[in-house]
Amino acid sequence: MPDLTHERFNEAVVAHVPVAMEAQEALASVVDLNGAYQADIEQGVVTIAGRPLRVVLLGTVSKATGTWLWSWANQGFAPMLPAIAPVRRAAEMAGSWGLWELGEPQFSLAGVLDTGLGAGASVALVAAPLVGATAFYSADYGAGIAYFGIVDPAVPRPAAQAVTFPRRIMAAVDLQPGNPRAQVLTYAAVHNLRVTGDDRQLRVYLGPDVLTVTFDEQGRITNISGTVSPGASL
């Protein structure tokens, strides 16, 4: 296992918080996340509170060792299963992203940033959009926790809108204030939004609307302003 820290990975976790919060909100609107679950890895389906959803298995966390194990490295599953094979996409990005964790079959979660849902959830929230999943679902199975990426059409990624953008970003900043600029840029990247600007100002293009995010010398957001189309809804 590489003798490396999780510093860069934790930066990625912070950057992905707006996307993750939005996605988990979308998932919670479809199913009762407190309901019982059943998982069928062979079929790539998790049934939550009676509602079946298509999933990929991102990985598992051992409660005994506090380690993350990627699904494609788990010898209990065939690597070419539809619920396993897509997760390899994250490993392919390890080098270009500078995140060794994406390519390491198993690693300790000690030092991985916990945003409130456990360190395993932090790995899942970074991995989910990389493998084409909208949200993630954590399933406690006693000895550990399995993290699934939701790839079901019933849980599409919410559309980015000018009317909701400030709330999405500022809610994430309140939860993890480490790097709001990275949070804006990552949110825009996941939503395929055009962004222009410099160190002190970013302009985000959301359809017919343009929002300007202004930063102070310390990189903190001082203002979000711009246009909102008539008839836009929260």
Side-chain angles (χ1 to χ4, degrees):
M1 184 178 297
D3 183 18
L4 299 170
T5 71
H6 296 299
E7 183 177 356
R8 284 182 63 86
F9 191 84
N10 288 340
E11 292 174 355
V13 173
V14 172
H16 279 78
V17 166
V19 175
M21 292 179 71
E22 175 183 74
Q24 297 311 108
E25 182 181 308
L27 178 60
S29 71
V30 174
V31 297
D32 177 7
L33 297 178
N34 295 315
Y37 82 91
Q38 290 181 317
D40 187 332
I41 306 302
E42 293 286 333
Q43 297 299 317
V45 173
V46 169
T47 301
I48 309 169
R51 176 69 180 268
L53 294 172
R54 303 295 304 181
V55 299
V56 294
L57 175 60
L58 300 171
T60 55
V61 170
S62 167
K63 293 181 182 179
T65 63
T67 54
W68 172 276
L69 175 65
W70 289 103
S71 61
W72 48 262
N74 192 324
Q75 296 183 357
F77 303 118
M80 296 313 296
L81 280 175
I84 305 295
V87 182
R88 279 278 190 182
R89 297 175 194 163
E92 295 168 358
M93 300 178 188
S96 60
W97 280 50
L99 302 177
W100 62 265
E101 295 89 343
L102 297 179
E104 188 68 20
Q106 186 174 17
F107 58 90
S108 171
L109 290 172
V112 172
L113 178 67
D114 181 354
T115 65
L117 298 175
S122 296
V123 180
L125 70 85
V126 171
L130 299 183
V131 303
T134 302
F136 70 87
Y137 174 72
S138 57
D140 192 315
Y141 59 89
I145 302 174
Y147 290 90
F148 295 92
I150 307 298
V151 294
D152 198 289
V155 189
R157 187 171 301 285
Q161 301 180 63
V163 69
T164 58
F165 177 85
R167 174 171 64 86
R168 300 293 191 199
I169 297 301
M170 295 313 300
V173 169
D174 288 342
L175 180 65
Q176 291 294 332
N179 193 338
R181 180 182 176 83
Q183 291 173 328
V184 171
L185 291 172
T186 301
Y187 184 86
V190 170
H191 283 282
N192 295 314
L193 303 176
R194 180 185 171 216
V195 179
T196 62
D198 51 34
D199 290 344
R200 297 296 295 272
Q201 183 175 276
L202 292 175
R203 287 176 293 280
V204 184
Y205 297 78
L206 301 103
D209 302 312
V210 181
L211 292 183
T212 299
V213 185
T214 306
F215 305 89
D216 64 14
E217 293 180 352
Q218 284 74 47
R220 298 169 298 192
I221 293 176
T222 58
N223 189 47
I224 301 178
S225 61
T227 63
V228 176
S229 300
S233 60
L234 294 173

